[in-house]
Amino acid sequence: MSTGKTSRPPTRFEHNDSTTGSVDALWACWTDVSTWSDWAAWVVSASMDGPFRPGSQGMLVERYGRRTTFTITALDPYVSHEFKVHIPGADVHMRREILEASHPTTFKHSVWLVGPLSGVWKRPLGARSRDELPQTMRRLANYTASVRR
């Protein structure tokens, strides 16, 4: 029986995965943005001039054709990092973190929206995140498992 209410997508999307790759290999993939297109389903290319640290900026080209700047907002080496991408009326925040640094290495990727138009962006970006986040995480797990560090 329908109640007439529609389900609202959550504001935050998260996915956990694990890899047989080392913590060093995982961290290297996360902090070497030139590898992002090798494992992130939505990235065609990524680049950053300078070190990977809070305040540093880089460029992303998405498979949807959009070019955008990202900014590193937080960094706790070998634990987590965060970055944000600006879209009209909102910022998309992404956090990647190592949950367990044993064998296998367990990690998490979180995505959330902040800004006056975040409600407008929730539905299209939420659907994309639900579809692509598990695929991206699995690709990253396989990629790090193939890297010897």
Side-chain angles (χ1 to χ4, degrees):
M1 176 182 204
S2 174
T3 61
K5 294 182 181 178
T6 58
S7 175
R8 298 180 79 144
T11 326
R12 186 178 190 97
F13 308 96
E14 298 179 336
H15 189 76
N16 295 1
D17 209 327
S18 61
T19 181
T20 57
S22 69
V23 170
D24 287 340
L26 180 60
W27 191 256
C29 289
W30 281 347
T31 58
D32 179 357
V33 300
S34 69
T35 70
W36 290 6
S37 62
D38 295 335
W39 50 266
W42 56 280
V43 176
V44 172
S45 68
S47 61
M48 186 168 64
D49 293 328
F52 192 95
R53 65 178 180 215
S56 294
Q57 293 188 324
M59 177 63 66
L60 286 171
V61 178
E62 299 176 15
R63 77 173 191 201
Y64 312 103
R66 191 169 60 132
R67 297 177 74 86
T68 189
T69 301
F70 67 91
T71 304
I72 306 300
T73 56
L75 178 67
D76 186 359
Y78 294 90
V79 176
S80 66
H81 75 271
E82 294 180 22
F83 65 98
K84 70 178 178 179
V85 174
H86 183 74
I87 56 177
D91 288 326
V92 181
H93 291 261
M94 292 173 231
R95 177 178 172 84
R96 298 171 178 154
E97 61 188 302
I98 295 170
L99 300 176
E100 190 170 333
S102 61
H103 193 72
T105 301
T106 306
F107 58 101
K108 177 163 94 173
H109 189 128
S110 305
V111 180
W112 68 97
L113 297 158
V114 176
L117 296 181
S118 59
V120 172
W121 286 105
K122 255 197 276 191
R123 181 155 301 214
L125 292 182
R128 189 183 307 165
S129 291
R130 280 189 298 279
D131 290 345
E132 292 181 356
L133 200 48
Q135 176 188 2
T136 291
M137 299 286 284
R138 183 69 339 230
R139 287 174 64 176
L140 177 60
N142 292 335
Y143 187 84
T144 58
S146 72
V147 175
R148 300 288 171 226
R149 291 195 192 218

